Amino acid sequence: MKDLILVTGGTGYIGSHTAVELIEAGYEVVIVDNLSNSEATVVDGIEAITGVRPALEVCDCTDYAAMKAVFDKYGRIKAAIHFAAYKAVGESVEKPLAYYQNNFLSLITVMRLLAEAKSEGFVFSSSCTVYGQPDVLPVTENAPVKQAMSPYGNTKQVGEEIIRDATSAGLPYQSIILRYFNPIGAHPSAEIGELPLGVPQNLLPFVTQTAAGIREKLRVFGDDYNTPDGSCVRDYIHVVDLAKAHVVAVRRLLEKKATQDVEVFNLGTGRGLSVLEIIRTFEKVTGVKLNYEIVGRRAGDIEQVWANPEHANKVLGWTAESSVEETLLSAWKWQQKLGGKA
């Protein structure tokens, strides 16, 4: 019998790509999602790629009773990967209470139910935002966690603290915290990709939608940062590379290879690229000219951050393999398949 993995937020961007990689690695997947920022049709894309249709339970991870019913229904959930969270920096500044309520309560609910079900592992979707503006770049897992610059970043910091505190108090399973840098791109099949509902909060969907004529203009937030071209610098990683790291993490937990009750890994390429570099590279590989304008800085944004991924490379045996060019092309291929849909 295949090991059953619960993927919360599994119809979302990273969750859906991870579901694909889990299925292709031989796991059974059940997805829980409230569809607040995704569509149930994403499961069709997962099935088209893998030939397997994962179960989808439409419910909210903050609802303990509904989630308990999911655990009771499947009965043998071995591990969970927790993606379900609000995730936009700018929006979190505008709606902090919504972010705190959703992100904390969903995390606590899933962790409690995993303990009650005597499950064997938990993978938490964290973020490089926990580092704030690092003193040293590239940033390692040993860098100090600084005061968050947005409520979103704070939910990841406190989320990690919740995991550590609960583990110290005797959780019956081990956890792995994966700190993402900036996922972009889409599955090479173009069956799934990033499809935010409404106006995109992340760079790449705005880039591709502008290129497709859906958005009139792309805004670049700031050109006066202390970076080579004045725009913010990030570590952009292909979402498929990121998804594969979750499979490795799950396997590590189920095979009892984790050396600590809570392990932390950076997931990035080790290379920083500016927003303007991403725009120029996109234009080069697609041949599409982007209409963009420089506007003021956005609240909550940090100046520059990129990963030192050596710990994940060495311990997990995982490496980000895709070039930024092929990553951007995959995002454009996905947008072309969508056509005028936003």
Side-chain angles (χ1 to χ4, degrees), residues 264-298:
V264 180
F265 298 95
N266 284 342
L267 298 182
T269 66
R271 179 188 180 195
L273 293 170
S274 74
V275 172
L276 291 175
E277 283 180 296
I278 288 292
I279 289 172
R280 288 192 292 268
T281 305
F282 180 87
E283 290 178 333
K284 180 180 177 182
V285 299
T286 64
V288 179
K289 192 73 175 172
L290 288 170
N291 182 27
Y292 69 91
E293 67 174 340
I294 308 294
V295 297
R297 296 185 182 192
R298 181 174 58 179

mmCIF file of all heavy atoms in Angstrom, residues 264-298:
data_model
loop_
_atom_site.group_PDB
_atom_site.id
_atom_site.type_symbol
_atom_site.label_atom_id
_atom_site.label_comp_id
_atom_site.label_asym_id
_atom_site.label_seq_id
_atom_site.Cartn_x
_atom_site.Cartn_y
_atom_site.Cartn_z
ATOM 1 N N VAL A 264 15.841 22.463 9.356
ATOM 2 C CA VAL A 264 15.553 23.650 8.548
ATOM 3 C C VAL A 264 16.456 23.664 7.321
ATOM 4 O O VAL A 264 17.675 23.431 7.434
ATOM 5 C CB VAL A 264 15.776 24.944 9.354
ATOM 6 C CG1 VAL A 264 15.473 26.168 8.494
ATOM 7 C CG2 VAL A 264 14.923 24.952 10.615
ATOM 8 N N PHE A 265 15.864 23.946 6.160
ATOM 9 C CA PHE A 265 16.642 23.995 4.926
ATOM 10 C C PHE A 265 16.225 25.187 4.070
ATOM 11 O O PHE A 265 15.034 25.452 3.903
ATOM 12 C CB PHE A 265 16.437 22.718 4.099
ATOM 13 C CG PHE A 265 16.897 21.462 4.775
ATOM 14 C CD1 PHE A 265 15.992 20.688 5.488
ATOM 15 C CD2 PHE A 265 18.228 21.077 4.719
ATOM 16 C CE1 PHE A 265 16.407 19.526 6.127
ATOM 17 C CE2 PHE A 265 18.652 19.924 5.354
ATOM 18 C CZ PHE A 265 17.744 19.140 6.063
ATOM 19 N N ASN A 266 17.213 25.901 3.524
ATOM 20 C CA ASN A 266 16.968 26.916 2.504
ATOM 21 C C ASN A 266 16.761 26.237 1.152
ATOM 22 O O ASN A 266 17.534 25.341 0.781
ATOM 23 C CB ASN A 266 18.171 27.849 2.362
ATOM 24 C CG ASN A 266 18.278 28.866 3.472
ATOM 25 O OD1 ASN A 266 17.319 29.120 4.184
ATOM 26 N ND2 ASN A 266 19.461 29.449 3.626
ATOM 27 N N LEU A 267 15.773 26.697 0.408
ATOM 28 C CA LEU A 267 15.548 26.200 -0.953
ATOM 29 C C LEU A 267 15.679 27.368 -1.928
ATOM 30 O O LEU A 267 14.770 28.191 -2.059
ATOM 31 C CB LEU A 267 14.172 25.550 -1.082
ATOM 32 C CG LEU A 267 13.921 24.329 -0.197
ATOM 33 C CD1 LEU A 267 12.538 23.757 -0.479
ATOM 34 C CD2 LEU A 267 14.992 23.255 -0.392
ATOM 35 N N GLY A 268 16.815 27.454 -2.568
ATOM 36 C CA GLY A 268 17.070 28.506 -3.539
ATOM 37 C C GLY A 268 18.146 28.058 -4.508
ATOM 38 O O GLY A 268 18.677 26.944 -4.413
ATOM 39 N N THR A 269 18.479 28.945 -5.431
ATOM 40 C CA THR A 269 19.485 28.612 -6.445
ATOM 41 C C THR A 269 20.882 29.046 -6.031
ATOM 42 O O THR A 269 21.864 28.570 -6.580
ATOM 43 C CB THR A 269 19.153 29.297 -7.783
ATOM 44 O OG1 THR A 269 19.278 30.724 -7.618
ATOM 45 C CG2 THR A 269 17.736 28.967 -8.237
ATOM 46 N N GLY A 270 20.944 29.996 -5.099
ATOM 47 C CA GLY A 270 22.236 30.571 -4.732
ATOM 48 C C GLY A 270 22.633 31.748 -5.596
ATOM 49 O O GLY A 270 23.756 32.242 -5.505
ATOM 50 N N ARG A 271 21.703 32.221 -6.415
ATOM 51 C CA ARG A 271 21.982 33.337 -7.319
ATOM 52 C C ARG A 271 20.920 34.411 -7.165
ATOM 53 O O ARG A 271 19.723 34.113 -7.187
ATOM 54 C CB ARG A 271 22.011 32.846 -8.763
ATOM 55 C CG ARG A 271 22.272 33.936 -9.798
ATOM 56 C CD ARG A 271 22.086 33.409 -11.203
ATOM 57 N NE ARG A 271 22.328 34.435 -12.205
ATOM 58 C CZ ARG A 271 21.972 34.337 -13.490
ATOM 59 N NH1 ARG A 271 21.354 33.247 -13.920
ATOM 60 N NH2 ARG A 271 22.230 35.313 -14.347
ATOM 61 N N GLY A 272 21.341 35.664 -6.995
ATOM 62 C CA GLY A 272 20.396 36.765 -6.889
ATOM 63 C C GLY A 272 20.211 37.467 -8.217
ATOM 64 O O GLY A 272 21.181 37.749 -8.923
ATOM 65 N N LEU A 273 18.954 37.735 -8.563
ATOM 66 C CA LEU A 273 18.623 38.461 -9.792
ATOM 67 C C LEU A 273 17.669 39.607 -9.441
ATOM 68 O O LEU A 273 16.771 39.443 -8.623
ATOM 69 C CB LEU A 273 17.944 37.541 -10.814
ATOM 70 C CG LEU A 273 18.808 36.430 -11.413
ATOM 71 C CD1 LEU A 273 17.933 35.466 -12.197
ATOM 72 C CD2 LEU A 273 19.881 37.010 -12.316
ATOM 73 N N SER A 274 17.872 40.746 -10.077
ATOM 74 C CA SER A 274 17.005 41.887 -9.806
ATOM 75 C C SER A 274 15.709 41.780 -10.603
ATOM 76 O O SER A 274 15.612 41.019 -11.582
ATOM 77 C CB SER A 274 17.712 43.194 -10.161
ATOM 78 O OG SER A 274 17.783 43.353 -11.567
ATOM 79 N N VAL A 275 14.728 42.561 -10.177
ATOM 80 C CA VAL A 275 13.455 42.602 -10.897
ATOM 81 C C VAL A 275 13.689 43.032 -12.344
ATOM 82 O O VAL A 275 13.122 42.445 -13.292
ATOM 83 C CB VAL A 275 12.480 43.563 -10.198
ATOM 84 C CG1 VAL A 275 11.221 43.767 -11.040
ATOM 85 C CG2 VAL A 275 12.117 43.049 -8.814
ATOM 86 N N LEU A 276 14.532 44.016 -12.547
ATOM 87 C CA LEU A 276 14.798 44.482 -13.910
ATOM 88 C C LEU A 276 15.550 43.433 -14.727
ATOM 89 O O LEU A 276 15.339 43.319 -15.949
ATOM 90 C CB LEU A 276 15.569 45.804 -13.880
ATOM 91 C CG LEU A 276 14.764 47.004 -13.356
ATOM 92 C CD1 LEU A 276 15.647 48.239 -13.238
ATOM 93 C CD2 LEU A 276 13.562 47.295 -14.259
ATOM 94 N N GLU A 277 16.411 42.653 -14.086
ATOM 95 C CA GLU A 277 17.074 41.556 -14.804
ATOM 96 C C GLU A 277 16.059 40.501 -15.246
ATOM 97 O O GLU A 277 16.167 39.953 -16.350
ATOM 98 C CB GLU A 277 18.135 40.912 -13.917
ATOM 99 C CG GLU A 277 19.420 41.705 -13.781
ATOM 100 C CD GLU A 277 20.423 40.997 -12.888
ATOM 101 O OE1 GLU A 277 20.140 40.819 -11.683
ATOM 102 O OE2 GLU A 277 21.499 40.622 -13.398
ATOM 103 N N ILE A 278 15.089 40.215 -14.390
ATOM 104 C CA ILE A 278 14.046 39.256 -14.759
ATOM 105 C C ILE A 278 13.264 39.779 -15.964
ATOM 106 O O ILE A 278 12.972 39.037 -16.918
ATOM 107 C CB ILE A 278 13.100 39.000 -13.565
ATOM 108 C CG1 ILE A 278 13.811 38.166 -12.489
ATOM 109 C CG2 ILE A 278 11.821 38.311 -14.021
ATOM 110 C CD1 ILE A 278 14.110 36.740 -12.882
ATOM 111 N N ILE A 279 12.932 41.056 -15.949
ATOM 112 C CA ILE A 279 12.194 41.646 -17.069
ATOM 113 C C ILE A 279 13.006 41.547 -18.354
ATOM 114 O O ILE A 279 12.493 41.133 -19.404
ATOM 115 C CB ILE A 279 11.839 43.112 -16.754
ATOM 116 C CG1 ILE A 279 10.762 43.171 -15.661
ATOM 117 C CG2 ILE A 279 11.368 43.850 -18.012
ATOM 118 C CD1 ILE A 279 10.472 44.559 -15.142
ATOM 119 N N ARG A 280 14.283 41.922 -18.299
ATOM 120 C CA ARG A 280 15.119 41.884 -19.503
ATOM 121 C C ARG A 280 15.304 40.451 -20.010
ATOM 122 O O ARG A 280 15.282 40.206 -21.227
ATOM 123 C CB ARG A 280 16.479 42.521 -19.212
ATOM 124 C CG ARG A 280 16.429 44.039 -19.053
ATOM 125 C CD ARG A 280 17.812 44.656 -19.062
ATOM 126 N NE ARG A 280 18.575 44.292 -17.881
ATOM 127 C CZ ARG A 280 18.614 45.016 -16.763
ATOM 128 N NH1 ARG A 280 17.911 46.140 -16.670
ATOM 129 N NH2 ARG A 280 19.346 44.638 -15.731
ATOM 130 N N THR A 281 15.467 39.504 -19.088
ATOM 131 C CA THR A 281 15.645 38.108 -19.501
ATOM 132 C C THR A 281 14.369 37.560 -20.114
ATOM 133 O O THR A 281 14.407 36.836 -21.112
ATOM 134 C CB THR A 281 16.078 37.239 -18.303
ATOM 135 O OG1 THR A 281 17.250 37.798 -17.704
ATOM 136 C CG2 THR A 281 16.378 35.810 -18.740
ATOM 137 N N PHE A 282 13.236 37.904 -19.531
ATOM 138 C CA PHE A 282 11.955 37.476 -20.098
ATOM 139 C C PHE A 282 11.800 38.006 -21.521
ATOM 140 O O PHE A 282 11.400 37.266 -22.438
ATOM 141 C CB PHE A 282 10.798 37.959 -19.223
ATOM 142 C CG PHE A 282 9.441 37.555 -19.737
ATOM 143 C CD1 PHE A 282 8.902 36.336 -19.391
ATOM 144 C CD2 PHE A 282 8.710 38.397 -20.579
ATOM 145 C CE1 PHE A 282 7.644 35.953 -19.868
ATOM 146 C CE2 PHE A 282 7.468 38.024 -21.055
ATOM 147 C CZ PHE A 282 6.935 36.795 -20.706
ATOM 148 N N GLU A 283 12.103 39.281 -21.709
ATOM 149 C CA GLU A 283 11.999 39.869 -23.050
ATOM 150 C C GLU A 283 12.928 39.166 -24.033
ATOM 151 O O GLU A 283 12.560 38.912 -25.191
ATOM 152 C CB GLU A 283 12.333 41.359 -22.986
ATOM 153 C CG GLU A 283 11.274 42.195 -22.260
ATOM 154 C CD GLU A 283 11.660 43.667 -22.166
ATOM 155 O OE1 GLU A 283 12.881 43.974 -22.182
ATOM 156 O OE2 GLU A 283 10.747 44.514 -22.094
ATOM 157 N N LYS A 284 14.114 38.799 -23.574
ATOM 158 C CA LYS A 284 15.097 38.157 -24.447
ATOM 159 C C LYS A 284 14.659 36.761 -24.872
ATOM 160 O O LYS A 284 14.730 36.405 -26.052
ATOM 161 C CB LYS A 284 16.445 38.087 -23.730
ATOM 162 C CG LYS A 284 17.542 37.428 -24.542
ATOM 163 C CD LYS A 284 18.856 37.402 -23.768
ATOM 164 C CE LYS A 284 19.951 36.677 -24.556
ATOM 165 N NZ LYS A 284 21.223 36.616 -23.785
ATOM 166 N N VAL A 285 14.182 35.953 -23.924
ATOM 167 C CA VAL A 285 13.873 34.556 -24.253
ATOM 168 C C VAL A 285 12.531 34.397 -24.946
ATOM 169 O O VAL A 285 12.313 33.408 -25.659
ATOM 170 C CB VAL A 285 13.928 33.652 -22.997
ATOM 171 C CG1 VAL A 285 15.320 33.668 -22.386
ATOM 172 C CG2 VAL A 285 12.879 34.035 -21.969
ATOM 173 N N THR A 286 11.617 35.368 -24.758
ATOM 174 C CA THR A 286 10.299 35.252 -25.390
ATOM 175 C C THR A 286 10.153 36.126 -26.625
ATOM 176 O O THR A 286 9.271 35.878 -27.456
ATOM 177 C CB THR A 286 9.182 35.644 -24.406
ATOM 178 O OG1 THR A 286 9.317 37.035 -24.061
ATOM 179 C CG2 THR A 286 9.245 34.781 -23.154
ATOM 180 N N GLY A 287 10.987 37.172 -26.737
ATOM 181 C CA GLY A 287 10.848 38.110 -27.840
ATOM 182 C C GLY A 287 9.696 39.070 -27.660
ATOM 183 O O GLY A 287 9.312 39.778 -28.600
ATOM 184 N N VAL A 288 9.129 39.122 -26.458
ATOM 185 C CA VAL A 288 7.986 39.994 -26.170
ATOM 186 C C VAL A 288 8.462 41.190 -25.352
ATOM 187 O O VAL A 288 9.111 41.030 -24.326
ATOM 188 C CB VAL A 288 6.888 39.245 -25.397
ATOM 189 C CG1 VAL A 288 5.717 40.179 -25.094
ATOM 190 C CG2 VAL A 288 6.416 38.035 -26.192
ATOM 191 N N LYS A 289 8.138 42.391 -25.811
ATOM 192 C CA LYS A 289 8.507 43.605 -25.093
ATOM 193 C C LYS A 289 7.477 43.890 -24.019
ATOM 194 O O LYS A 289 6.266 43.853 -24.260
ATOM 195 C CB LYS A 289 8.569 44.789 -26.077
ATOM 196 C CG LYS A 289 9.211 46.042 -25.496
ATOM 197 C CD LYS A 289 10.709 45.881 -25.355
ATOM 198 C CE LYS A 289 11.345 47.187 -24.900
ATOM 199 N NZ LYS A 289 12.766 47.019 -24.561
ATOM 200 N N LEU A 290 7.952 44.166 -22.816
ATOM 201 C CA LEU A 290 7.054 44.425 -21.700
ATOM 202 C C LEU A 290 6.848 45.925 -21.483
ATOM 203 O O LEU A 290 7.800 46.703 -21.536
ATOM 204 C CB LEU A 290 7.620 43.820 -20.412
ATOM 205 C CG LEU A 290 7.577 42.291 -20.300
ATOM 206 C CD1 LEU A 290 8.398 41.836 -19.100
ATOM 207 C CD2 LEU A 290 6.145 41.794 -20.179
ATOM 208 N N ASN A 291 5.624 46.300 -21.230
ATOM 209 C CA ASN A 291 5.308 47.668 -20.865
ATOM 210 C C ASN A 291 5.374 47.777 -19.344
ATOM 211 O O ASN A 291 4.556 47.191 -18.630
ATOM 212 C CB ASN A 291 3.904 48.034 -21.355
ATOM 213 C CG ASN A 291 3.537 49.472 -21.034
ATOM 214 O OD1 ASN A 291 4.414 50.327 -20.907
ATOM 215 N ND2 ASN A 291 2.242 49.740 -20.903
ATOM 216 N N TYR A 292 6.388 48.481 -18.835
ATOM 217 C CA TYR A 292 6.509 48.591 -17.382
ATOM 218 C C TYR A 292 6.885 50.013 -17.000
ATOM 219 O O TYR A 292 7.388 50.791 -17.811
ATOM 220 C CB TYR A 292 7.543 47.593 -16.839
ATOM 221 C CG TYR A 292 8.979 47.878 -17.207
ATOM 222 C CD1 TYR A 292 9.795 48.662 -16.387
ATOM 223 C CD2 TYR A 292 9.539 47.341 -18.373
ATOM 224 C CE1 TYR A 292 11.115 48.917 -16.717
ATOM 225 C CE2 TYR A 292 10.858 47.583 -18.704
ATOM 226 C CZ TYR A 292 11.650 48.368 -17.877
ATOM 227 O OH TYR A 292 12.960 48.619 -18.198
ATOM 228 N N GLU A 293 6.626 50.330 -15.729
ATOM 229 C CA GLU A 293 6.986 51.640 -15.204
ATOM 230 C C GLU A 293 7.560 51.481 -13.802
ATOM 231 O O GLU A 293 7.200 50.547 -13.074
ATOM 232 C CB GLU A 293 5.778 52.577 -15.178
ATOM 233 C CG GLU A 293 4.696 52.156 -14.201
ATOM 234 C CD GLU A 293 3.584 53.186 -14.082
ATOM 235 O OE1 GLU A 293 3.822 54.352 -14.441
ATOM 236 O OE2 GLU A 293 2.478 52.824 -13.618
ATOM 237 N N ILE A 294 8.452 52.375 -13.444
ATOM 238 C CA ILE A 294 9.024 52.387 -12.105
ATOM 239 C C ILE A 294 8.106 53.202 -11.200
ATOM 240 O O ILE A 294 7.742 54.336 -11.538
ATOM 241 C CB ILE A 294 10.434 53.009 -12.096
ATOM 242 C CG1 ILE A 294 11.331 52.344 -13.152
ATOM 243 C CG2 ILE A 294 11.038 52.910 -10.704
ATOM 244 C CD1 ILE A 294 11.661 50.903 -12.899
ATOM 245 N N VAL A 295 7.720 52.619 -10.080
ATOM 246 C CA VAL A 295 6.904 53.344 -9.106
ATOM 247 C C VAL A 295 7.623 53.314 -7.753
ATOM 248 O O VAL A 295 8.725 52.770 -7.641
ATOM 249 C CB VAL A 295 5.493 52.721 -8.994
ATOM 250 C CG1 VAL A 295 4.760 52.823 -10.322
ATOM 251 C CG2 VAL A 295 5.564 51.270 -8.520
ATOM 252 N N GLY A 296 7.009 53.882 -6.741
ATOM 253 C CA GLY A 296 7.641 53.933 -5.427
ATOM 254 C C GLY A 296 7.789 52.563 -4.785
ATOM 255 O O GLY A 296 7.171 51.579 -5.209
ATOM 256 N N ARG A 297 8.603 52.514 -3.773
ATOM 257 C CA ARG A 297 8.805 51.271 -3.043
ATOM 258 C C ARG A 297 7.497 50.765 -2.450
ATOM 259 O O ARG A 297 6.595 51.544 -2.154
ATOM 260 C CB ARG A 297 9.819 51.471 -1.909
ATOM 261 C CG ARG A 297 11.218 51.827 -2.373
ATOM 262 C CD ARG A 297 12.165 51.872 -1.181
ATOM 263 N NE ARG A 297 13.522 52.252 -1.568
ATOM 264 C CZ ARG A 297 14.575 52.149 -0.771
ATOM 265 N NH1 ARG A 297 14.417 51.689 0.472
ATOM 266 N NH2 ARG A 297 15.774 52.509 -1.187
ATOM 267 N N ARG A 298 7.421 49.437 -2.267
ATOM 268 C CA ARG A 298 6.231 48.807 -1.692
ATOM 269 C C ARG A 298 6.494 48.452 -0.234
ATOM 270 O O ARG A 298 7.542 47.886 0.102
ATOM 271 C CB ARG A 298 5.876 47.536 -2.486
ATOM 272 C CG ARG A 298 4.651 46.810 -1.997
ATOM 273 C CD ARG A 298 4.296 45.664 -2.926
ATOM 274 N NE ARG A 298 5.378 44.705 -3.066
ATOM 275 C CZ ARG A 298 5.314 43.604 -3.810
ATOM 276 N NH1 ARG A 298 4.216 43.358 -4.512
ATOM 277 N NH2 ARG A 298 6.343 42.780 -3.889
#
